[in-house]
Amino acid sequence: MLNPLLLNPVSLRNVRPLGWYRRQLEIQASGLGGHLDKIWPDIRDSKWIGGSREGWERVPYWLDGFIPLAWLLDDEDLQQRAKYYIEAILKNQAEDGWLCPCSLEERARYDTWAYLLICKVLTVYYDCTGDERIPLAMCRALSCLNAHLDVNTLFNWGSARWYEGLISVYWLYERTNEEWLLDLAHKLEVQGFNYNELFDNYRDMVPRRHWSLMTHVVNLSMCLKSEALVSRYKSIKDPSAFARKALSILERYHGMAVGHFTGDECVSGNSPVQGTELCGIVEAMYSYEWLLAISGETEWADRLEKLAFNALPATLSEDMWTHQYLQMTNQVACCKMPEDDILFRTNNGEAHLFGLEPNFGCCTANFNQGWPKLAESTFMRTTDGIASSVLLPMEAKLEYEGASIICRLETDYPFREKLNYTIITDRPVHFTFSIRIPGFASSATIDNQPVACGAFWKTHRLWEGTTQLKVDLSFDCILTERPRDMACLWRGPLLFSLGLESHWEKHEYVRNGVERRFPYCDYELSTDESWNYAFADETFTVSEHPIEDIPFSFANPPVSINAALVPVEWPFEHGACAIEPVSRRPLGPLEHKVLIPYGCAKLRMTEMPVEKQD
């Protein structure tokens, strides 16, 4: 038996994105994620569909986001293109169930990470389509994998990411109740890397210029959900305990202002000019989505929103045709670093450029899951009703106790503080409706009645016809301490930065047979603006602005904060600003500057000293 989820996602077939969130998905569909199968050889000509290019993780990575994107937008063209890939994958499944594009002789050397990933993708496809061929294909695929692992144990990436396989194993078990699937779950755990041992005896406090699977930022982002997933088939008192332990260590030694940890490509300390990988951001989001579903604890939704509303948009261009491999907290230039003077410890000097596949192509395929998969954590089923968890504008249609229910959230959150719910039932029905009140709100009311922050507000009642609920949140401007006596400014779920006007220098070229051509070319970013500032006091004035066609816009941010700053002596070195100023003595008078959301600013200063003025 599997322990049940406390929060069950509503099927993607039954949700509809609204407002600014829908617009964000439309931009993704119009950009790189919606066109990789047309322009990028590793998707367009992949071995997964009979071509000659990469036949490992890139097509599964891309489909993992492209499929939910297509169905959330109800876009027939996108859906047909997704179906083309799934049809090829199902058609090419071997007679014994093997699912990946390699010969029988190559199987022993084939890293089964891609096998675990494509099985997970098929569960997403089934959720969107209900295609009844998928359970049989999954049964054959997992049975083959079960036998394969008896003589070819997990290695490399498959060993580091074994817990990802539990997702599809549980999915099939819930439909078949076949005990061999739980044996496979145990086999994956036994053969996989032991992250509990890693963090119980943590030895990587000091970052090194050394690449390792044990310190790889994406593996560490993924592993946060490992124990929670295991807790579904084993008795574990607190499914969140491991994630909290791992995060407390990672944030202590490698933490970033944005609520994540560095990794360029392996953990890299707490300097504001060390980077973190885009794959790590979306995989941490996915981990928090599972931790939320399994534990029902609001802290994971808080963490999820902070990454989604800050780190994710910050590392994507506004049209989503380009992305960074690495983002930096204090990022005043994105220009090529000289080969003998690269700031990043295990990535090349182009990793922070915006482009088609800067440094390495995994993020080109994998970033696509970030925005679409958030939809699964919006309206969720509970044991006695419905919960609104991640606070995106969304509508869900579902059945409960024989009644048809529509739940709609209309909101401009996180840019605004109001949530407007409409619940419509076609007949009277009793159920509990729960609303997550974020932990970073200073206060909240529902229909003018005070409610607790950092918890689910719940009401059990008879719902009949149309009911509306109005939630008002309050956010304070808070300077949060960072290492080196510096600070960053948070307001609710949004981190704020001094945004810098940037010059985008375009580079079009061909490398290793891959063309970079506008709009999917590479860009170096630079600025003529001053960035060497410190906070002068803790007086902040918030201004709201219309939410334009691009929600995370530099020119038209939905919200801004006026702050008092003073210039300080802060050098530029190694292609970036120095880790901290060499002197904190003000070089000039106080200046009033406009800070904008971190996600709106591609060049920015975020961590700065606080130099209080008389």
Side-chain angles (χ1 to χ4, degrees), residues 199 202 205 244-256 260-261 269-270 482-483:
F199 285 105
Y202 193 71
M205 291 77 76
R244 290 196 193 101
K245 173 177 66 178
L247 283 166
S248 69
I249 293 171
L250 290 168
E251 290 179 333
R252 184 187 317 155
Y253 298 110
H254 309 289
M256 300 177 71
H260 192 51
F261 41 92
N270 58 22
R482 295 291 304 148

Side-chain angles (χ1 to χ4, degrees), residues 466-478:
T466 300
T467 306
Q468 293 186 325
L469 296 169
K470 295 188 180 297
V471 182
D472 290 283
L473 306 170
S474 293
F475 300 145
D476 294 336
C477 295
I478 300 173

Side-chain angles (χ1 to χ4, degrees), residues 430-487:
H430 282 94
F431 65 86
T432 299
F433 188 63
S434 307
I435 300 173
R436 171 183 147 263
I437 307 300
F440 34 66
S442 57
S443 63
T445 63
I446 296 182
D447 290 343
N448 297 317
Q449 298 300 309
V451 297
C453 300
F456 278 104
W457 171 85
K458 301 180 180 182
T459 179
H460 184 85
R461 64 173 79 170
L462 177 69
W463 303 86
E464 186 173 4
T466 300
T467 306
Q468 293 186 325
L469 296 169
K470 295 188 180 297
V471 182
D472 290 283
L473 306 170
S474 293
F475 300 145
D476 294 336
C477 295
I478 300 173
L479 276 180
T480 302
E481 291 183 0
R482 295 291 304 148
R484 303 171 188 86
D485 288 326
M486 297 209 284

Side-chain angles (χ1 to χ4, degrees), residues 202-412:
Y202 193 71
R203 303 175 66 86
D204 292 296
M205 291 77 76
V206 178
R208 296 174 289 160
R209 290 187 179 273
H210 174 72
W211 194 97
S212 166
L213 285 167
M214 294 170 59
T215 61
H216 192 274
V217 65
V218 184
N219 291 344
L220 298 177
S221 296
M222 288 178 164
C223 84
L224 296 173
K225 63 182 175 294
S226 58
E227 185 115 324
L229 287 168
V230 169
S231 75
R232 295 203 64 201
Y233 91 96
K234 291 171 65 173
S235 179
I236 296 176
K237 184 178 180 180
D238 181 0
S240 295
F242 167 77
R244 290 196 193 101
K245 173 177 66 178
L247 283 166
S248 69
I249 293 171
L250 290 168
E251 290 179 333
R252 184 187 317 155
Y253 298 110
H254 309 289
M256 300 177 71
V258 79
H260 192 51
F261 41 92
T262 59
D264 55 17
E265 176 160 321
C266 298
V267 288
S268 201
N270 58 22
S271 161
V273 293
Q274 297 301 150
T276 197
E277 186 180 336
L278 176 51
C279 277
I281 296 296
V282 296
E283 292 297 352
M285 289 171 58
Y286 189 57
S287 287
Y288 298 150
E289 288 159 14
W290 272 108
L291 282 157
L292 172 66
I294 292 168
S295 73
E297 295 165 341
T298 60
E299 66 180 283
W300 303 118
D302 284 357
R303 282 187 172 273
L304 173 56
E305 287 187 353
K306 282 189 172 184
L307 291 188
F309 301 150
N310 298 285
L312 179 58
T315 195
L316 304 171
S317 59
E318 291 182 2
D319 61 5
M320 288 200 221
W321 270 105
T322 64
H323 69 282
Q324 295 175 289
Y325 193 79
L326 300 177
Q327 65 177 282
M328 304 150 75
T329 302
N330 287 349
Q331 185 168 276
V332 301
C334 297
C335 299
K336 297 177 184 178
M337 297 176 182
E339 286 297 318
D340 58 349
D341 201 13
I342 295 174
L343 184 66
F344 310 127
R345 290 189 168 90
T346 50
N347 284 150
N348 69 33
E350 299 181 9
H352 59 322
L353 271 59
F354 283 81
L356 172 64
E357 49 174 290
N359 190 77
F360 194 65
C362 56
C363 296
T364 307
N366 194 25
F367 88 83
N368 296 282
Q369 70 167 301
W371 286 115
K373 285 198 169 182
L374 277 176
E376 296 181 313
S377 299
T378 53
F379 287 108
M380 308 180 80
R381 296 177 182 271
T382 63
T383 54
D384 59 353
I386 304 164
S388 173
S389 300
V390 170
L391 305 176
L392 295 173
M394 182 71 77
E395 180 180 278
K397 297 181 179 180
L398 60 160
E399 303 286 324
Y400 187 82
E401 299 291 338
S404 295
I405 303 169
I406 296 175
C407 294
R408 184 183 304 126
L409 171 55
E410 296 171 286
T411 184
D412 289 329

Side-chain angles (χ1 to χ4, degrees), residues 63-80:
L63 286 173
D64 204 24
F66 186 75
I67 291 169
L69 178 70
W71 268 266
L72 283 168
L73 293 177
D74 195 23
D75 187 303
E76 185 175 352
D77 175 60
L78 298 181
Q79 291 174 5
Q80 289 302 317

